[in-house]
Amino acid sequence: MIAKRLSSIKEDIASLCEKAGRDPDEVTLVAVSKTYPVERILEAYDAGHRHFGENRVQELVPKMQALPDDIIWHMIGTLQSNKVRLMADRVNCIQSVVKTSHLKEIEKRAAMHERTISVLVQVNISNEDQKSGCEPEELPALLDHASQLSHIRVDGLMGLGELTANRDRIREQFRHLFALREQHRAFSRSNVSLEHLSMGMSADYDMAIEEGATIIRIGSAIFGERDYP
Ligand SMILES: *Cc1c(COP(=O)(O)O)cnc(C)c1O
């Protein structure tokens, strides 16, 4: 079931890329496995999938320990500095960095493990009251701070579209994130390169691909509906 859904989503991604004149190899599918047990994740793994995303450190850590070593793990949920140390020995990409204190803590913990951790800076693009991400104006200072660190690599930006049925609004927000990436791309350092744009989930990944996403984060369309969000 999961293998079947995965392959049909991958086909869909390929055809969306073709229509948009894009190379499907430049779009990475992160399977968002939050709330699903390791057995379900293994079904996707056995089908050849390797990128998985979780939104809570308490759930990510036991799954990282239980599942195969060659999985590439993405932390995509709201980041608490005091939890960074719990995942720093293993997590591959932290997509939800929003402030310099996050960068400082990741740098410190990655250094302790003699690793480099890839991060994306999450930008608030949704105009919602409950904001998620830094404000666009805060990007230059964050990128500049990151450029002085040696155990962090900034690989791009991440954004969450608004929770709305209005697809045009979500598309506008994806375009905004794309424009921000273009605007800040000139800021390129040895460890800062805004190659990636992580945007799009089960309900809107088609638009995200059309608008230039290189990482899409899909949960329910692969694993089925969750009992809770
Ligand atoms: C849960 C979640 C997703 C995936 O959502 P689906 O609608 O299940 O595809 C993507 N990104 C983030 C940050 C999430 O928390």
Side-chain angles (χ1 to χ4, degrees):
M1 186 64 170
I2 285 175
K4 224 170 160 183
R5 288 209 193 107
L6 246 180
S7 74
S8 89
I9 287 172
K10 285 177 182 176
E11 276 171 30
D12 194 32
I13 292 169
S15 84
L16 286 161
C17 282
E18 198 184 334
K19 269 186 237 150
R22 300 186 58 195
D23 177 356
D25 288 341
E26 69 183 45
V27 178
T28 298
L29 168 61
V30 173
V32 178
S33 48
K34 64 186 184 193
T35 77
Y36 301 105
V38 293
E39 296 74 36
R40 312 285 292 281
I41 301 174
L42 272 175
E43 284 181 52
Y45 178 88
D46 288 338
H49 200 72
R50 291 296 178 270
H51 288 264
F52 292 90
E54 288 282 335
N55 70 335
R56 292 163 67 240
V57 174
Q58 308 90 287
E59 195 175 338
L60 170 65
V61 169
K63 284 176 173 174
M64 289 194 301
Q65 287 164 353
L67 286 156
D69 286 342
D70 60 343
I71 288 181
I72 299 152
W73 287 105
H74 298 255
M75 168 60 188
I76 61 172
T78 308
L79 198 59
Q80 290 169 278
S81 291
N82 63 359
K83 301 251 169 64
V84 169
R85 67 184 170 82
L86 302 171
M87 60 177 164
D89 64 329
R90 176 66 178 87
V91 70
N92 299 95
C93 179
I94 300 178
Q95 298 202 6
S96 42
V97 165
V98 309
K99 50 190 178 186
T100 47
S101 59
H102 287 159
L103 290 169
K104 285 180 182 161
E105 183 65 13
I106 296 166
E107 169 67 18
K108 177 176 156 190
R109 300 295 171 178
M112 287 171 69
H113 294 286
E114 298 178 344
R115 307 179 65 221
T116 297
I117 296 179
S118 162
V119 308
L120 305 181
V121 177
Q122 184 177 353
V123 188
N124 178 30
I125 50 170
S126 74
N127 318 306
E128 285 173 304
D129 289 347
Q130 193 199 351
K131 80 169 191 119
S132 55
C134 72
E135 293 304 321
E137 305 78 54
E138 296 172 306
L139 267 174
L142 273 168
L143 297 178
D144 185 59
H145 186 91
S147 72
Q148 295 157 43
L149 305 174
S150 47
H151 298 83
I152 283 180
R153 209 178 58 238
V154 181
D155 286 324
L157 305 179
M158 186 269 239
L160 274 170
E162 192 176 330
L163 210 66
T164 169
N166 185 338
R167 291 186 34 106
D168 292 342
R169 289 241 307 253
I170 298 173
R171 188 184 290 279
E172 271 311 306
Q173 292 160 3
F174 289 164
R175 283 186 181 161
H176 185 200
L177 192 65
F178 184 91
L180 286 170
R181 196 268 305 258
E182 295 309 291
Q183 184 186 338
H184 294 284
R185 223 169 178 171
F187 185 96
S188 173
R189 302 289 184 274
S190 61
N191 69 328
V192 179
S193 175
L194 302 186
E195 291 302 318
H196 286 287
L197 266 187
S198 173
M199 57 189 194
M201 324 204 310
S202 292
D204 51 27
Y205 72 87
D206 55 332
M207 284 191 292
I209 289 171
E210 287 161 8
E211 300 305 333
T214 67
I215 299 173
I216 54 179
R217 311 176 307 266
I218 299 186
S220 48
I222 297 170
F223 294 104
E225 291 302 324
R226 287 178 297 271
D227 294 339
Y228 56 97

